[in-house]
Amino acid sequence: MWGGRFAEGPSAVMREINASIPFDKQMWRQDISGSKAHVAMLGAQGIVSTEDVAAIDAGLDRVATDYADNGVPDDLALEDIHMLTEARLADAIGPAAGRLHTARSRNDQVATDFRLWVRDAIDAVLAALTGLDAALLSRAEQHAADVMPGFTHLQSAQPVTLGHHLMAYHEMVSRDMARFRDARARMNLCPLGSAALAGTSFPIDRHATAQALGFDGPTRNSLDSVSDRDFALEYLTSATQCALHLSRLAEEFVLWASQPFGFVALSDAWSTGSSIMPQKRNPDAAELVRGHAGRILGCMTSLMVTMKGLPLAYSKDMQDDKPPVFEAHDLLGLSIAAMTGMIDSATFRTDRMRALAESGFATATDLADWLVREGGMPFREAHHVTGRVVKRAEELGVTLDALPLHEMTAIDARIDARVFDVLSVDASVASRTSFGGTAPANVRAAVAAARGGEMA
Ligand code: ARG
């Protein structure tokens, strides 16, 4: 393609280090679409004859059919998907193929293909996250009133509902989706026609190609167009943030599936056995979701470091933009699918959650709040009195709601029998009706609002 100026071919290693076909062949569909839009525009603008446009367009269809049927070969000599497709087109239709690359460079071509690819990738992620969110909402609704210990410092803190806990992840997933949508809207401008870096003297119509490819319009600066990879980085930062959320949820599944917690039993389909310990049901999928988050973050770091020192405009370093994006996308897709499957099929041990919620004096704050409300105490004093009550319950080996009233009045005479209204874990969660609180009624309202597409 560029041999005119060269007496010798590249060395074998040069060829290998230079070639991106082993990975950029993933973009063959986008490359064909971009070329079809480009050649149609060249015809409409009178830059290429109608006959040649028809031949090129039909030839591109033939190349596409061949790729779809037989795969895309790793032809290192042809370097990348752009040159391979052009060579295949020449095989198919002869010298007219040479007109396709008029008013175009691989620099704007690859920027266009990659944007199209990332746009499709975002659509796939959004569809997958919609499924994950539906799983969270349905399990949250099912367990809207089931009590579990809420933790801070991984110490029993206050009772919460399992539905509320799951809805916390709904919030994270909603923000992740918003980040992907936002990235998609920002990247949806077409670089095609920026040519190598400076634009072109041919009378092209960039608005037409942008529209044909479903972009909102053409990019505004040719140098930026061929140099910008922030669209790929926004995909990766959004993917990383999403993976971090999945990783936290996965970590909770790992903890919850452990014997000391016993909060969840993973279905057979989402656990693995041990080759030596017959009793084992390991949460491997959850562990790998946690692990994949690290790799996705690595992909993001990789492209950031590739880009950070590059002068304008295109440098070949930028060819290394694709492997981390492709890898992150595969890992994220698997992670979302695995989390969705685990959530859909998990059995939550609500009896065990309730027993632990009741055992950790988790309603101590409710007692302190009651002392403020009914006993007129300043909160600090109420905190102190409650601490003494907890100590006494601990000595007697009972939960707060099983501590006899006389034990409490011996500590503070302002306590009376009405206190039992707030000491059970059910009373505790039912009372947390402040906006965004854990009460079952709030959880149900939040699920309904999420399904209706409004903010709860
Ligand atoms: N394969 C290259 C890439 O992925 C596109 C080619 C641009 N090459 C060039 N010599 N300007 O970035």
Side-chain angles (χ1 to χ4, degrees), residues 2 18 20 23-24 27 79-82 105-107 110 229 314-316 318-322:
W2 36 257
N18 205 32
S20 52
F23 53 84
D24 68 18
M27 303 194 303
E79 202 178 313
D80 59 25
I81 186 63
H82 323 296
S105 150
R106 276 185 294 154
N107 296 349
V110 73
R229 292 295 181 270
Y314 179 87
S315 298
K316 199 63 177 260
M318 289 163 71
Q319 178 165 283
D320 281 343
D321 56 359
K322 286 165 229 61

Side-chain angles (χ1 to χ4, degrees), residues 343-364:
I343 291 164
D344 267 333
S345 62
T347 305
F348 293 105
R349 298 267 185 247
T350 50
D351 48 340
R352 172 83 184 145
M353 290 182 173
R354 167 173 289 274
L356 278 190
E358 285 171 344
S359 73
F361 305 110
T363 56

